[in-house]
Each structure stands twice: as C-alpha cells, then as structure tokens.
Amino acid sequence: MKKTKITLHPSYVIGDISPRLFGAFLEPIGSMVNGTMYNPKHPTADEQGFRGDVIEGLKKAGVPAVRMPGGNFVSGWRWKDSIGPKEQRKQNLDLAWGQFIPNDVGHDEYLQWAEKIGAEAMYTINLGTGDLNDAIDIVEYTNFPGETYWSDLRIKNGHKDPYGVKVWYLGNEMDGPWQIASYDKDPRGYGILAHEVSKVMKFTDPSIETVACVSSCPFLTHYPDWDRQVLEQCYESVDYISLHHYHSAPVGDIGALMAGVNAYEDYINTEIALSDYMKTMYRSKHTMMISLDEYASSWREPKKASWGLNGRLPASTFYQFDPSKKFIHHDPDNMAAGGPPMLTGEVVSAVANASIGLLMLRHADRVKIGCATGGLSMYCASNHDYVWKGASYYTMSELHELAKGKSILPVTETDTYHVDSYAIDDQNQYADIDNVPYVTAAAAYDEDKGELNVFVCNADWEEEHEFTMDIRGFGDYKLVENLVMADDGSMERNSHDNQTLHCPRPVNDATFENGIVHTVLHKISWNVFRFEKAK
Ligand code: AHR
C-alpha cells in the first residue's frame, strides 16, 4: 500500500478564501437555459417560466455565484433587444452556436433568476459587437438608482432597486479566433479597449470590479504572449483576469483525467507570474487576482488528430463556413435539441473536478473566483422532468459550505505518476505529464469559530493509501467527522430514483491521537475531515 502524509500548521496561511470560489457558469447552449433554467410548461414553473425544481435544487446546493449570460454567445448578443415587454422583444441569431435567440430569457430574467437561486450574478458584457456606449448603458440600467434614461427604464420594466452587480467581465475569450470580433490578432487593441471600457464602467459605478480576458486556453499558439500584451494596456484598470481551460481525457483513462490538476496548476502559475511581472514593470501597488471562470475535467472520445503541432494551432483552424448549416430553434419543453451537459456524472469525475477546487484553495491568495462549466449540472443534475443530486453535488456543496475562513497549506508527501502524451483532437494534444500527485488536499481554517476542515482527494485508481495527517500545530482540536465518498468501480451514476448511490458517508475508521490522524484513503475517493476546537 502506498503512503501519504499531510502536515498542517496554523501559521501556513495561504490567504482568505473567497466566497465566489465554487460558482457556476451559465450560457444558453442547448438546453442549459431553454429547458433547464427556463421551461414555462414544466409543472414547477413559476410566473416567469423558471423551473422551480431547478431553483430549489440550486438553492439547496448553495451555489454562491453564477457567471452569465455566456460564453461565446454574449459576443453577438444585443442585450437591449432582450428587455421590456416580451412581445416587443426581437428574435436574433446567435452566430456563435448557430441558434435562434428569442430573448424570452433576457437581461432582467438572467439577473432575477440569480436572485431567486440566492446567487450573486457576475455579468459578461458583449465586447464583440458591443461598444463603449453599450457598456456604459448596461451598468446604468443594471446598477444606477434612477433619474437617467436607462435606470428609469429598469424601474419601468419592474425592478425598482438596482441589481447591484459587482463583478463585470469585459467580453468573453476575446483572444479566441472563433470569437465574434476576436482580438486574436490584436492583443494591444483588446487591452486598450478593456482599459477604456473598465474606466467608463467604473466612472458609472465606482463600486464595481472588472475582469479582463487573457488567453482562453493554454493550447493556443499565442499563449501567453497575448496575455502579456493585454496586461500591458489594462493592468491598472482591471481587478481580475479571466482564465478558461477544459481538461480532456480519453474515456476510461483515469490517470489522464486526474492529471488535469497539473494543467490547471501550470496555467494559474503562468498567469500569476505574468501579472506580477506587470506589477513590477509599472511599480504598481495593485495585485491582479484570478478568475478561473470556465473549467472542467471531462472524458472525451479521441478523434483523429494531426500530430506535430502539439496543439498549437493556427487561427485558420477555427473558421468553419459550412453552407449546410441550419440555425436551431430550442423549444424549452423539448430537450432533444441537446440535453444538459453531464460532464461529471460518476465519482471519478466528481473527484477529478473537486481536485481543481482544492487547487483553487491552494491558490486562495490569488484565485478569487471559480465557475465550473456545466456548473448547474455539477450542482444539480436534471432532465426534462426532474432534478437530482449527482456525485459532484456533494463535492461542490461541501466545498462551498465548509471551505470558509483562511486557506492553510497542506504540506503533502505523496507518490506521483506519469501520463504519456496523448491527443483528443487537433487542439487538445498533451505532451507527457510528469509528477502528477496521487493525493491532493486543501484546508480551511476559521480560527474564530474554532473550525478546521481538511479536504483530500485520492486520485489513485489502483491502490489505497495508508494516510497520516499531522495537525499537532493547532493544539487542542478534536476530529468531529470524517466523510468519505469512494468510487466502487461501477461507473454508475446517481439518478432521480437513487440520489445517494454515491454520496459522502460518515465513517469511523480514522484514529486521532495526539494531533495525528491515521486512516486509509480508499481508491478514487473524496475525503473530508472536520475538526473542532475542544471546549
Ligand atoms: O462552454 C462552451 C464555450 O466554451 C463557451 O461559450 C466559451 O466561453 C468556451 O470556449
């Protein structure tokens, strides 16, 4: 049996844990909005057509923040066509996803839905076809109290109080050659635009925070120089940079899936280094924070890939002008158009994605926002009729509930493994991945409440680990609960009829003596250790 040891001490403080770390990302693709969030024909639909079962499911899960309304979609979305009486709204085309956008879910509905699920709305503005005026007007409409055209219009449209949106994303993936009005070829141009837009938005509402795009994926040829050039222009006027990455593994290759944690670590470290270089260059007092607002580790069927480019593709790869393309109408009551994404149905995927959550906690001093893609389904699995708790409901909601206070560095001694290079498709080509840790951890310490919560993912699919955890430095603490959810090898998923097939269950296997825990970590497992200060 392999051995893993973790040492924790209250002086190993990384930083304050942001309440926005375990959020979700929402975009009207397939049935994510039309069908899941919104279906006026659903038996639980409310007066706005929102599904009540989804609202309740997300409330129960405690999703803290949602980045909306996209995604690539937003770069062509005219928010002004989506407000006011529904019968007067315009139906537009979404060029990013080849769909009709009827705008029955519009700007106000997105924000009011967020209010209903009790989550903070984090809003992405259109910097593709949108301009500086749109940016000023949207902040005025959304956040200004009244006595201007746009704020009075919000009041007329039924929302007297300002929405108070705090976090604003300055476009989506503006480097991506696929993006409408991409700045792939002009990082300086986007940097200047982001700077100017951020300025006018903050002139309108000085309490807001803004997020600039950097490379939307570490596979792109221009990464990370695009990012450097953007930051040169807007370092002082924005508060966060937006990172996106989707880690993919061939179906069934657990080692490759779990290795996502190394890819995210490299990406985050690179962006921190770049930001700090800018800070020094400008002799600035401002420290750039990180928003990892689209992420997921998921299985994908490998396609034929052209080796040799190592995933660093020329922009022309992304242009697809297909004369046979048909724009899709999404009927919210018919999910056949593409069901909700189920990226994370089984325990293996839940553990792989939870390990990204732990990584964000280990960077808690810099990573302040996290949004899981398919985040609604990670928190609340659903189909046309029902919602239920999948395995990732438990990891996400426990992280949200228990990761509070300060993040403490878990010094982790564990074996590592190697993943041979592999390709999923032309873009997703991985070089060898070295030194992937089997066991990763994070710890949250709330000194005032006398609570220490330690989260441990064991990615090892072959062996259990003899596990020791030394918390002697905390003094007089007792172990009050040890929760474990482990893979049973079946790859079965929870369903509406069986929501606890996989769920963390309290176990009494661990011994805790003189500040040291001894137990065994099951293969592919999610483990939570809750300690409280002895009274
Ligand atoms: O989640 C799907 C897409 O992935 C989003 O629209 C975009 O931001 C990213 O490339």
Side-chain angles (χ1 to χ4, degrees):
M1 202 188 291
K2 296 190 193 87
K3 291 187 175 163
T4 289
K5 181 178 178 201
I6 290 179
T7 308
L8 289 153
H9 192 280
S11 61
Y12 301 170
V13 174
I14 299 169
D16 289 331
I17 298 168
S18 159
R20 297 180 179 130
L21 222 43
F22 300 106
F25 162 59
L26 175 69
E27 176 175 23
I29 309 179
S31 58
M32 242 192 282
V33 166
N34 280 297
T36 302
M37 170 207 204
Y38 175 78
N39 179 1
K41 293 194 184 142
H42 194 272
T44 68
D46 68 10
E47 68 295 346
Q48 288 180 292
F50 296 136
R51 278 178 61 169
D53 59 343
V54 172
I55 291 176
E56 283 314 307
L58 291 169
K59 267 166 81 173
K60 200 173 289 165
V63 57
V66 183
R67 173 176 167 261
M68 54 173 59
N72 298 335
F73 148 84
V74 86
S75 294
W77 192 45
R78 297 171 207 140
W79 72 273
K80 288 173 183 166
D81 289 351
S82 80
I83 55 176
K86 286 206 177 178
E87 58 288 357
Q88 287 168 23
R89 296 186 190 175
K90 296 178 189 157
Q91 169 151 282
N92 297 322
L93 290 180
D94 166 15
L95 302 182
W97 299 110
Q99 9 174 36
F100 289 90
I101 296 292
N103 278 323
D104 41 4
V105 177
H107 180 76
D108 287 288
E109 283 78 20
Y110 277 108
L111 297 173
Q112 287 166 23
W113 178 80
E115 286 175 346
K116 286 184 176 176
I117 66 165
E120 176 182 357
M122 302 188 294
Y123 200 95
T124 308
I125 63 163
N126 172 354
L127 280 190
T129 61
D131 62 13
L132 219 61
N133 275 325
D134 280 327
I136 298 170
D137 297 344
I138 202 169
V139 178
E140 210 177 288
Y141 182 91
T142 310
N143 282 3
F144 206 74
E147 296 181 72
T148 67
Y149 173 77
W150 289 105
S151 54
D152 286 345
L153 190 56
R154 178 199 69 240
I155 296 167
K156 188 169 159 224
N157 287 341
H159 206 274
K160 183 170 174 299
D161 294 329
Y163 289 102
V165 171
K166 181 95 176 155
V167 177
W168 294 82
Y169 288 83
L170 307 177
N172 176 72
E173 300 188 349
M174 297 306 294
D175 66 315
W178 56 85
Q179 202 68 224
I180 297 170
S182 157
Y183 280 85
D184 169 37
K185 296 174 188 300
D186 187 7
R188 189 166 173 272
Y190 170 68
I192 293 170
L193 178 67
H195 174 72
E196 292 303 324
V197 170
S198 185
K199 261 170 49 188
V200 292
M201 291 173 81
K202 289 181 177 182
F203 286 162
T204 312
D205 178 354
S207 74
I208 65 168
E209 298 176 334
T210 55
V211 192
C213 301
V214 287
S215 283
S216 53
C217 160
F219 289 126
L220 291 162
T221 310
H222 59 229
Y223 166 80
D225 197 58
W226 195 91
D227 317 32
R228 179 189 62 77
Q229 295 188 56
V230 167
L231 286 177
E232 258 174 24
Q233 303 305 325
C234 65
Y235 184 84
E236 296 287 8
S237 48
V238 304
D239 305 277
Y240 307 81
I241 47 178
S242 160
L243 276 57
H244 293 181
H245 180 52
Y246 294 97
H247 177 76
S248 317
V251 179
D253 187 339
I254 298 172
L257 186 76
M258 298 292 186
V261 77
N262 284 37
Y264 287 99
E265 176 97 63
D266 286 350
Y267 188 21
I268 290 171
N269 283 337
T270 301
E271 298 297 348
I272 290 175
L274 260 181
S275 301
D276 290 351
Y277 165 71
M278 285 305 149
K279 179 174 180 172
T280 309
M281 195 173 92
Y282 288 122
R283 314 294 191 262
S284 174
K285 291 196 187 321
H286 166 51
T287 301
M288 187 67 75
M289 296 298 159
I290 294 207
S291 164
L292 178 59
D293 44 78
E294 285 188 37
Y295 73 85
S297 278
S298 53
W299 308 113
R300 281 174 61 191
E301 287 295 348
K303 294 191 205 146
K304 185 178 167 305
S306 325
W307 286 83
L309 296 173
N310 196 20
R312 296 170 68 83
L313 300 180
S316 54
T317 319
F318 300 99
Y319 310 145
Q320 287 160 6
F321 308 122
D322 179 0
S324 65
K325 178 168 97 177
K326 298 244 179 312
F327 284 86
I328 305 165
H329 278 287
H330 288 292
D331 172 0
D333 200 35
N334 173 12
M335 280 196 170
M342 279 299 297
L343 299 166
T344 57
E346 355 67 37
V347 174
V348 186
S349 301
V351 173
N353 283 281
S355 71
I356 305 168
L358 304 193
L359 174 69
M360 292 195 287
L361 284 168
R362 293 197 300 278
H363 284 283
D365 55 333
R366 300 302 286 273
V367 180
K368 295 293 181 184
I369 303 177
C371 304
T373 293
L376 299 189
S377 72
M378 279 209 212
Y379 271 110
C380 175
S382 62
N383 61 15
H384 175 272
D385 301 310
Y386 303 115
V387 302
W388 65 93
K389 294 172 181 168
S392 56
Y393 160 87
Y394 297 99
T395 48
M396 295 293 282
S397 58
E398 283 177 3
L399 277 169
H400 170 63
E401 187 194 335
L402 299 174
K404 302 238 158 78
K406 295 204 182 299
S407 174
I408 302 286
L409 177 73
V411 177
T412 307
E413 297 162 62
T414 187
D415 286 349
T416 59
Y417 66 95
H418 172 90
V419 178
D420 283 338
S421 58
Y422 65 95
I424 298 289
D425 55 23
D426 280 351
Q427 183 176 344
N428 294 273
Q429 297 189 20
Y430 294 82
D432 285 12
I433 310 175
D434 296 319
N435 300 319
V436 186
Y438 282 109
V439 175
T440 57
Y445 180 40
D446 190 328
E447 192 178 359
D448 296 340
K449 286 196 178 148
E451 289 174 4
L452 170 68
N453 297 318
V454 187
F455 313 93
V456 181
C457 287
N458 183 13
D460 198 332
W461 60 100
E462 287 170 333
E463 269 190 70
E464 298 179 326
H465 283 223
E466 191 183 314
F467 180 67
T468 310
M469 179 160 55
D470 181 345
I471 69 150
R472 281 176 297 176
F474 286 84
D476 205 6
Y477 270 65
K478 56 184 181 180
L479 178 64
V480 291
E481 192 172 37
N482 178 197
L483 296 163
V484 178
M485 175 170 70
D487 175 61
D488 61 1
S490 68
M491 298 292 266
E492 258 189 76
R493 296 172 165 191
N494 290 1
S495 62
H496 176 248
D497 295 331
N498 192 352
Q499 310 199 23
T500 53
L501 172 69
H502 301 297
C503 67
R505 299 183 204 281
V507 292
N508 292 313
D509 307 337
T511 62
F512 182 56
E513 279 165 14
N514 303 321
I516 300 184
V517 173
H518 287 286
T519 191
V520 168
L521 298 179
H522 292 272
K523 289 186 252 180
I524 311 174
S525 59
W526 164 251
N527 306 268
V528 179
F529 298 87
R530 291 184 45 234
F531 299 92
E532 279 176 12
K533 195 171 174 58
K535 300 267 183 308

